[in-house]
Amino acid sequence: MSISDRILWRVSGRAPVALLSLLCLLPLSMAASGQAGPSPWAVEVVDVQQIDPNPGYAEPTHALGEPVGGTLSVPNNSSVVSLGVPGSFITLRMNPPITHHPDNLMGYDFIVYSNAFFVGGNPQHAFKEPALVELSEDGVNWHHIPGSRNLDRSVLEDGMPNPDPPLAGYVQTATEDALDWGYAELTPTQQKYLDNYMRPSDPYTFGVTPRSGGGDAFKIAWAVDAAGNPADLEAVNYVRLSSFLWGDMGPLGDITPEINAVAHVARDIDTDGNGILDDYEIMVAGTDPTRPESTVLPLEIPASEQPHHTTPYLGRAEDTLGNAFTIYEAGTRSGARAFNLIVDILPTSASAGEVPGRYLSDYAVEFLADQSDFQAAQIQDAEFRIAFAPEAFVGHDLQALAPYRLVAGAYTQDGISEIEVLEEAGVLQFRSRYAGLFALTSTEPFDPAGPPAAPVTLEVLTASPSAPGELRLRSSVITDSEGRTVPAGTHITVEATGGVLITADADPDASGHQLVVQGGRLHFTVLLPDGEVGELISLLLTLSRSDD
């Protein structure tokens, strides 16, 4: 028998007017620049000339793509290209072009990575083989960066001997005032750590700036023309790196700069406050900078960051519902391995499938990770938290709730351990070796929901930085007259009287705009007229339920 109940009730809520300032301050992402496939790294070797490069390190394409770092005292030479002696150069294309944005971190615009290193980790004793940096908007007209030694273009014609005090080789620097800057291959390249390869290191201080990837930071405003006047470049599409120093370093041979990568500096914008800059999320990780749970966590902490890291804790992602994903160290990692973990948390509905002796609830969460087996990733089993409304389990023993993971259409507890129910918090916490879709199960069956109980309220989750007036909303938990949560998958007909619903219609063949309950709530997006975030949102909701 099929029963259909249609009940009308009204939901209203006001988005905070304070969000208006947020919408004005957040700029468009770089992905909106019109460039296809934007990358923060060099994307093409346009031209190269190598004279006597170091054998085994002459592959020009090693300068493309993301940097490959080591430690402060031991470089990773697996992805460097040796330019050779003076007369050698490599020309790289950037897409999108390098520009000076007022929000760029520390005011720098791009970074050149190399295999420089600090002897014994001492930043006052470094091994360097500098390259001169030139910039061009069109690939034809070039402008060079004179750097701290105020060099002119003549050094590109015949080169120059290693000066005194030296620029190349084992260089000891007594004071920060004597530090050289404005050349490539002065500063080590760090191990990958979150978004550090888009964060510059201060070239005027000893060592590597915390959270940066090292390398040598530059401003396009440093470029000058042949007469030494500011070039006033607006956008740099090409970077040329040239060898310019003559010198014999004994067993190490001639001075031959080694280049690892060229990178954009990210803007100091973190929309969701998850510690990962928006430009990195958009251009590298592919995560959503408006959702803190769509983020990047570290699989290990570089040695240079260890003074700030004293526990096994690595990182945590949490969504607005309270679902969370936490990872911990398992000891020293080794061999070929990933350094970052890309994660996301997606509340969803439990897929059909049997759980012997148990019953599926309305609560399911998909924990996504690009390393799905945490033991294989050399870390501890991940800690997961699924938030639930205790009122959804009236008549159930909450301590008997248990998570099951969906694998190939069936539910299993393989790899799941340390299950704990925190009743007052409304949280089921557990460890799992694997990521995936987890459903809460109970020892008791679930009764079908009856008529909905009022009131239902709305909460603004985020305001889109790229579409003023576009709001992501969620409802409060929708319960029936007996206090039970409306089941996942329930369709609700929604009519917006104070805006335009832009969330896809779940059932275009049915009358009205259908949304689907997930985790006892509705999640949807409304576009307010004229971008007025303070406008009253009024929705007319109709619940449709059918029982077999």
Side-chain angles (χ1 to χ4, degrees):
M1 180 178 65
S2 177
I3 303 173
S4 179
D5 294 317
R6 302 186 66 80
I7 301 96
L8 301 180
W9 77 102
R10 185 167 295 278
V11 182
S12 65
R14 183 176 295 274
V17 177
L19 281 174
L20 283 169
S21 60
L22 174 68
L23 293 172
C24 296
L25 291 174
L26 296 177
L28 292 174
S29 72
M30 294 183 73
S33 66
Q35 295 283 357
S39 170
W41 331 119
V43 298
E44 180 186 1
V45 177
V46 176
D47 195 10
V48 63
Q49 176 170 286
Q50 295 165 281
I51 305 170
D52 295 331
N54 283 329
Y57 300 97
E59 176 50 56
T61 59
H62 282 178
L64 301 180
E66 188 175 45
V68 179
T71 67
L72 296 180
S73 56
V74 181
N76 186 333
N77 290 321
S78 65
S79 183
V80 297
V81 54
S82 174
L83 297 187
V85 298
S88 302
F89 63 86
I90 188 169
T91 303
L92 304 171
R93 182 171 69 88
M94 308 298 293
N95 177 25
I98 298 167
T99 59
H100 176 69
H101 193 284
D103 290 328
N104 282 359
L105 276 171
M106 298 168 62
Y108 294 101
D109 306 320
F110 68 101
I111 308 163
V112 179
Y113 291 96
S114 67
N115 69 346
F117 62 90
F118 296 148
V119 179
N122 180 2
Q124 292 181 262
H125 189 188
F127 182 82
K128 316 171 183 182
E129 296 177 282
L132 196 79
V133 178
E134 296 176 276
L135 307 177
S136 175
E137 294 175 313
D138 55 12
V140 176
N141 299 292
W142 290 92
H143 311 275
H144 77 287
I145 293 178
S148 56
R149 302 294 180 103
N150 197 28
L151 302 178
D152 59 39
R153 292 186 61 85
S154 65
V155 300
L156 296 175
E157 299 172 6
D158 302 311
M160 61 177 282
N162 195 10
D164 185 21
L167 257 175
Y170 290 97
V171 177
Q172 297 195 51
T173 307
T175 66
E176 290 185 339
D177 290 341
L179 276 171
D180 282 301
W181 54 268
Y183 311 107
E185 203 186 321
L186 299 177
T187 308
T189 299
Q190 289 265 60
Q191 171 190 307
K192 182 176 181 177
Y193 176 55
L194 301 175
D195 54 359
N196 66 340
Y197 287 147
M198 295 185 72
R199 293 177 178 264
S201 183
D202 184 354
Y204 299 113
T205 62
F206 285 128
V208 170
T209 301
R211 276 300 306 275
S212 85
D216 299 297
F218 297 84
K219 300 179 181 182
I220 61 175
W222 289 349
V224 299
D225 61 19
N229 300 312
D232 295 326
L233 299 173
E234 294 186 0
V236 172
N237 290 287
Y238 302 93
V239 177
R240 187 160 67 192
L241 305 164
S242 300
S243 178
F244 68 98
L245 287 172
W246 291 105
D248 183 354
M249 295 186 293
L252 296 177
D254 294 318
I255 298 171
T256 58
E258 275 80 43
I259 303 302
N260 189 315
V262 178
H264 284 262
V265 169
R267 296 168 297 171
D268 192 10
I269 300 173
D270 179 11
T271 300
D272 55 17
N274 64 359
I276 307 298
L277 298 172
D278 286 8
D279 286 344
Y280 186 86
E281 291 209 56
I282 293 167
M283 301 177 74
V284 182
T287 49
D288 184 349
T290 69
R291 296 170 49 239
E293 69 273 21
S294 174
T295 189
V296 183
L297 304 178
L299 285 167
E300 63 183 74
I301 311 295
S304 60
E305 300 287 337
Q306 290 293 342
H308 313 289
H309 178 72
T310 58
T311 71
Y313 173 83
L314 286 169
R316 176 185 177 93
E318 183 171 359
D319 67 11
T320 55
L321 300 175
N323 302 305
F325 187 153
T326 309
I327 58 173
Y328 301 87
E329 290 176 333
T332 302
R333 303 172 79 229
S334 61
R337 60 198 187 275
F339 295 102
N340 281 349
L341 184 71
I342 298 174
V343 303
D344 201 355
I345 302 174
L346 301 175
T348 184
S349 300
S351 300
E354 288 192 8
V355 186
R358 302 187 69 87
Y359 299 88
L360 287 172
S361 78
D362 179 35
Y363 287 88
V365 178
E366 189 168 13
F367 295 98
L368 298 175
D370 63 344
Q371 303 283 320
S372 60
D373 183 336
F374 302 116
Q375 290 184 19
Q378 304 180 56
I379 63 171
Q380 294 185 37
D381 292 353
E383 180 184 271
F384 296 117
R385 291 166 64 99
I386 296 179
F388 64 89
E391 60 267 25
F393 295 91
V394 174
H396 294 251
D397 178 4
L398 292 184
Q399 290 300 319
L401 295 179
Y404 276 72
R405 183 170 56 94
L406 185 65
V407 180
Y411 285 94
T412 179
Q413 278 201 313
D414 178 40
I416 296 176
S417 63
E418 301 182 30
I419 300 169
E420 183 180 7
V421 179
L422 309 176
E423 293 189 26
E424 292 186 3
V427 167
L428 180 74
Q429 182 171 288
F430 59 97
R431 291 289 190 104
S432 176
R433 173 177 175 174
Y434 307 101
L437 189 150
F438 295 86
L440 265 62
T441 68
S442 175
T443 55
E444 301 294 331
F446 293 88
D447 295 329
V456 176
T457 59
L458 293 176
E459 175 187 355
V460 176
L461 297 182
T462 58
S464 170
S466 59
E470 187 174 300
L471 302 179
R472 291 179 61 242
L473 306 170
R474 73 172 179 183
S475 72
S476 59
V477 174
I478 303 172
T479 59
D480 64 19
S481 57
E482 297 182 18
R484 296 172 299 195
T485 300
V486 173
T490 300
H491 281 202
I492 290 184
T493 303
V494 180
E495 175 189 351
T497 61
V500 178
L501 279 165
I502 58 176
T503 301
D505 191 340
D507 187 1
D509 295 331
S511 176
H513 195 113
Q514 303 288 311
L515 298 180
V516 180
V517 173
Q518 294 181 345
R521 304 174 188 262
L522 291 176
H523 295 76
F524 56 97
T525 303
V526 171
L527 181 63
L528 298 181
D530 302 321
E532 296 182 4
V533 180
E535 171 118 1
L536 180 68
I537 305 164
S538 181
L539 303 176
L540 186 65
L541 308 181
T542 305
L543 168 66
S544 298
R545 176 175 62 82
S546 63
D547 304 322
D548 293 329

